[in-house]
């Protein structure tokens, strides 16, 4: 483990696996390696999962995934998300984290919980306990198949045990502040370095659409207003969809949309390949539904479009208003959303405007967000 032997150690109990879609937890954590090394803890995997059984060892493997990050995937009992078994899960995960720390010969500087996993507190008086709210867990409970009352209790406990609370949006910050927490606003950012040389990136070779092309990158789920997507195509734009699809979301309507010749869904793609798909776009879309969950969110995709120099159209979200820029066209009217997407997509490329968007995105980069968090933790 010599690659991660120096500096304070952060234990990041992530909301998504390291090799899943790169979300806020992974992107902020990677930026924080400037200040600390990291033990990344995947969400636990049930031993009923055949893939987990095949990897069974006396203790979870510690796998370097970055010069300053080691990953572990804890194992838990089958049906670990069920109410009865769920009470045991945090204890099993804690024991495996403690064992990993022994193998690393390290004490954590801070433990960061990104998913209300009941993993804060009890690490010792010198360890900082950090809750990182990447979404409104309570508002999203039903979306995730959880009982609202149970998630509310987990939220209450996590806030009480936290020394530092990070919230991704002003909506979430205000709600947690009203519950008595001192909350630092840490909106999502963008990996601007990935898009600086976009013109030199080879476009993805599996895209068959012809310009003008509007696109959505990210999870395709009930968070998205499918009528907005239909309106974009009806207005005369081709539509490229890049990301995993939640089969519970409007299955008949989604497949009818994808069957249209002007629409292509390429499925999930690694984060590192996103620039190749953004090269095809003339405009980026953030067509979110108006819901409590979305109002507390901060979509990654909007800043990624700007970081790539693309014009963007978004529905009216508090996070988009917080950015306070005329570089994003905001409308929640479906017909107007479609027209705005087409108008921007057919507009000739303006290098100056693209550069202006990149400069704006740079102010909201992940390194800038990491500097804010490192300062709050006393690491900067």
């Amino acid at each position: 483990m010599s690659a991660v032997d120096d500096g304070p150690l952060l234990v990041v109990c992530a909301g998504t696996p390291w090799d899943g879609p790169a979300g806020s937890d992974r992107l902020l954590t990677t930026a924080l390696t400037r200040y600390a090394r990291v033990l990344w803890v995947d969400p636990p995997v049930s031993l009923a999962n055949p893939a987990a059984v095949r990897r069974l060892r006396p203790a979870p493997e510690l796998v370097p995934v970055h010069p300053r990050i080691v990953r572990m995937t804890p194992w838990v009992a089958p049906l670990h998300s069920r109410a009865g078994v769920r009470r045991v899960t945090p204890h099993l995960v804690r024991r495996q984290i403690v064992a990993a720390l022994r193998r690393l010969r390290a004490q954590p500087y801070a433990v960061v919980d990104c998913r209300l996993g009941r993993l804060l507190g009890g690490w010792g008086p010198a360890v900082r306990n950090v809750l990182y709210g990447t979404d409104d867990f309570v508002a999203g409970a039903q979306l995730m198949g959880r009982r609202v009352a149970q998630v509310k209790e987990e939220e209450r406990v996590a806030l009480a045990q936290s020394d530092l609370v990070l919230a991704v949006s002003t909506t979430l910050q205000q709600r947690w502040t009203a519950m008595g927490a001192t909350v630092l606003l840490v909106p999502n950012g963008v990996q601007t370095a990935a898009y600086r040389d976009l013109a030199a990136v080879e476009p993805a070779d599996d895209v068959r659409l012809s310009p003008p092309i509007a696109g959505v990158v990210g999870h395709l789920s009930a968070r998205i207003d499918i009528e907005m997507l239909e309106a974009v195509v009806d207005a005369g734009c081709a539509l490229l969809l890049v990301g995993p699809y939640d089969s519970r979301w409007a299955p008949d309507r989604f497949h009818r949309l994808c069957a249209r010749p002007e629409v292509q869904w390429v499925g999930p793609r690694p984060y590192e390949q996103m620039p190749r798909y953004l090269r095809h776009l003339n405009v980026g879309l953030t067509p979110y539904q108006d819901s409590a969950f979305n109002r507390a969110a901060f979509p990654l995709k909007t800043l990624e479009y700007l970081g790539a120099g693309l014009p963007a159209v978004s529905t009216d979200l508090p996070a988009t208003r917080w950015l306070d820029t005329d570089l994003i066209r905001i409308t929640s009217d479906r017909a107007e959303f479609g027209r705005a997407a087409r108008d921007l997509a057919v507009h000739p490329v303006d290098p100056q405007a693209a550069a202006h968007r990149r400069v704006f995105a740079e102010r909201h980069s992940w390194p800038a967000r990491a500097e804010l968090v490192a300062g709050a933790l006393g690491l900067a």
Side-chain angles (χ1 to χ4, degrees):
M1 297 301 165
S2 59
V4 290
D5 278 349
D6 60 313
L9 178 74
L10 303 180
V11 176
V12 177
C13 304
T16 54
W18 179 267
D19 54 7
S24 311
D25 46 6
R26 175 175 155 183
L27 296 168
L28 178 60
T29 296
T30 303
L32 281 169
T33 56
R34 177 182 174 188
Y35 308 95
R37 53 193 174 128
V38 175
L39 172 62
W40 172 278
V41 183
D42 280 343
V45 174
S46 166
L47 286 175
N49 182 317
V53 173
R54 283 196 298 271
R55 299 198 306 268
L56 192 61
R57 300 286 187 279
E61 290 183 272
L62 298 179
V63 182
V65 290
H66 177 280
R68 303 268 285 168
I69 302 174
V70 169
R71 170 197 187 187
M72 66 170 283
T73 305
W75 307 320
V76 290
L79 307 176
H80 66 281
S81 60
R82 296 285 182 89
V85 184
R86 191 177 185 87
R87 287 195 293 271
V88 180
T89 297
H91 302 290
L92 294 174
V93 174
R94 278 175 180 267
R95 288 176 59 183
Q96 292 170 78
I97 293 173
V98 170
L101 291 169
R102 275 200 223 92
R103 292 165 65 189
L104 292 170
R105 299 187 184 90
Q107 291 296 318
Y109 180 88
V111 174
V112 184
D113 188 353
C114 305
R115 58 182 187 84
L116 296 185
R118 289 187 180 266
L119 293 169
L120 298 180
W123 297 99
V127 179
R128 303 290 302 276
N129 293 278
V130 182
L131 176 63
Y132 180 25
T134 58
D135 282 301
D136 186 331
F137 304 111
V138 173
Q142 290 180 320
L143 189 65
M144 306 304 173
R146 300 284 312 282
R147 290 192 294 114
V148 173
Q150 185 181 60
V151 177
K152 279 185 175 180
E153 175 60 13
E154 290 171 355
E155 177 188 60
R156 184 193 65 76
V157 171
L159 289 172
Q161 292 178 329
S162 297
D163 303 304
L164 176 64
V165 179
L166 313 176
V168 76
S169 69
T170 54
T171 303
L172 190 54
Q173 181 190 36
Q174 289 161 6
R175 191 164 73 76
W176 281 350
T177 299
M179 292 173 69
T182 300
V183 187
L184 178 67
L185 178 65
V186 185
N188 280 339
V190 58
Q191 250 187 341
T192 51
Y195 307 117
R196 283 196 190 113
D197 300 318
L198 195 65
V201 172
E202 188 71 24
D205 56 11
D206 57 345
V207 177
R208 55 167 174 74
L209 301 173
S210 299
I213 303 175
V216 178
V217 299
H219 284 87
L220 304 169
S221 69
R223 301 182 75 167
I224 290 177
D225 186 337
I226 199 165
E227 290 188 32
M228 296 284 184
L229 301 182
E230 293 166 340
V232 169
V233 182
D234 291 342
C237 256
L239 179 64
L240 177 64
L241 305 172
V242 185
Y245 166 65
D246 183 345
S247 60
R248 297 169 297 178
W249 174 51
D252 294 339
R253 203 164 178 178
F254 178 76
H255 291 299
R256 281 200 303 272
L257 176 67
C258 292
R260 296 177 66 166
E262 314 96 319
V263 179
Q264 185 179 1
W265 171 48
V266 297
R269 291 292 184 268
Y271 183 78
E272 294 73 19
Q273 289 188 21
M274 283 305 110
R276 299 187 64 202
Y277 289 91
L278 291 174
R279 277 279 279 123
H280 286 278
L281 301 188
N282 302 107
V283 62
L285 309 176
T286 306
Y288 275 22
Q289 295 265 17
D290 181 18
S291 68
F293 188 54
N294 284 342
R295 286 193 293 275
F298 198 108
L300 283 165
K301 55 178 63 67
T302 307
L303 281 172
E304 288 181 333
Y305 301 143
L306 298 179
L310 293 169
V313 183
S314 174
T315 45
D316 198 348
L317 301 167
T320 311
R321 294 287 180 184
W322 180 87
L323 287 169
D324 191 25
T325 176
D326 59 4
L327 299 175
I328 305 166
R329 190 81 64 86
I330 301 174
T331 177
S332 290
D333 179 86
R334 293 183 175 97
E336 188 180 333
F337 190 96
R339 288 193 297 270
R342 187 180 186 284
D343 290 349
L344 289 170
V346 300
H347 199 275
V349 175
D350 181 348
Q352 243 184 346
H356 187 35
R357 295 180 192 112
R358 289 192 174 96
V359 168
F360 178 84
E362 193 71 49
R363 289 162 40 197
H364 299 277
S365 68
W366 280 115
R369 301 294 192 242
E371 184 177 9
L372 179 66
V373 174
L377 284 171
L379 290 169

